Amino acid sequence: MRRDYFELDVRDVDWYEGGEPPRQPTVSIDFYGPPEELRERFSAPGGDVLASGDLDVSLRLQGPINETDTRGVVSVTDRLTGDYVLELNADAEDVLYFIGAAREYGRNSDDKDGHYRVDVAIEGEHFATFEKSMFLVYDVDGSLLRGRSLIPSGVEL
């Protein structure tokens, strides 16, 4: 599946660092490729859509973290098989800002299900929504950057 089949949009992060009350950050991913391909990748055995707990979200940096033009690859993987469900290119600074907003939302809310939401659409039509509380960040060498990642308390990696 090609990375350019995806469009990424972020909502509810304007409050972060602005003194407004926190809102749950949401990332919207719209897919513009063969619909059956995405549906198949999000399918669990038996045909149901994978549950939120069956998916991991991560950012793999493609350059130094401290440079403003560093790009990265956002990945959603099947936790059980390790298979990629989707990958898309993104500006690393924007993704790290989103993670910061999700971290702050988690600190200031009693929402136990998710610090952020992922909405997936196929050509503008809603497909699935996932509540997530973990977002892992890896450097260009594949090492986990714990201080930049969103890792809920009590989770051992």
Side-chain angles (χ1 to χ4, degrees), residues 1-156:
M1 189 174 331
R2 296 170 35 158
R3 293 180 188 165
D4 60 349
Y5 284 166
F6 298 95
E7 284 184 12
L8 183 88
D9 185 37
V10 175
R11 296 187 314 271
D12 295 327
V13 295
D14 296 341
W15 59 268
Y16 183 53
E17 297 180 348
E20 297 176 41
R23 293 182 307 279
Q24 185 181 39
T26 300
V27 61
S28 297
I29 300 171
D30 209 346
F31 179 70
Y32 291 93
E36 62 282 349
E37 189 174 346
L38 187 70
R39 285 189 183 97
E40 180 181 322
R41 287 180 179 232
F42 270 103
S43 293
D48 292 334
V49 175
L50 290 165
S52 182
D54 296 333
L55 299 169
D56 288 321
V57 182
S58 64
L59 170 68
R60 235 179 21 253
L61 296 172
Q62 295 180 316
I65 194 166
N66 55 352
E67 292 185 13
T68 58
D69 62 344
T70 295
R71 303 283 295 161
V73 177
V74 173
S75 302
V76 176
T77 56
D78 181 323
R79 182 175 288 170
L80 180 63
T81 65
D83 291 338
Y84 286 105
V85 176
L86 65 86
E87 284 188 317
L88 56 97
N89 296 322
D91 180 69
E93 188 174 32
D94 292 344
V95 176
L96 294 170
Y97 186 84
F98 179 85
I99 292 170
R103 180 179 294 113
E104 191 63 23
Y105 173 78
R107 283 188 193 129
N108 290 291
S109 83
D110 50 359
D111 184 350
K112 301 292 183 222
D113 293 330
H115 293 94
Y116 67 98
R117 177 178 294 132
V118 179
D119 287 332
V120 180
I122 300 174
E123 295 183 5
E125 194 169 315
H126 180 265
F127 172 69
T129 299
F130 305 97
E131 301 282 333
K132 301 297 297 171
S133 59
M134 187 163 55
F135 200 128
L136 302 176
V137 179
Y138 296 92
D139 69 13
V140 73
D141 297 320
S143 299
L144 178 65
L145 300 174
R146 287 183 180 271
R148 295 297 189 135
S149 296
L150 178 62
I151 304 171
S153 61
V155 172
E156 189 75 30

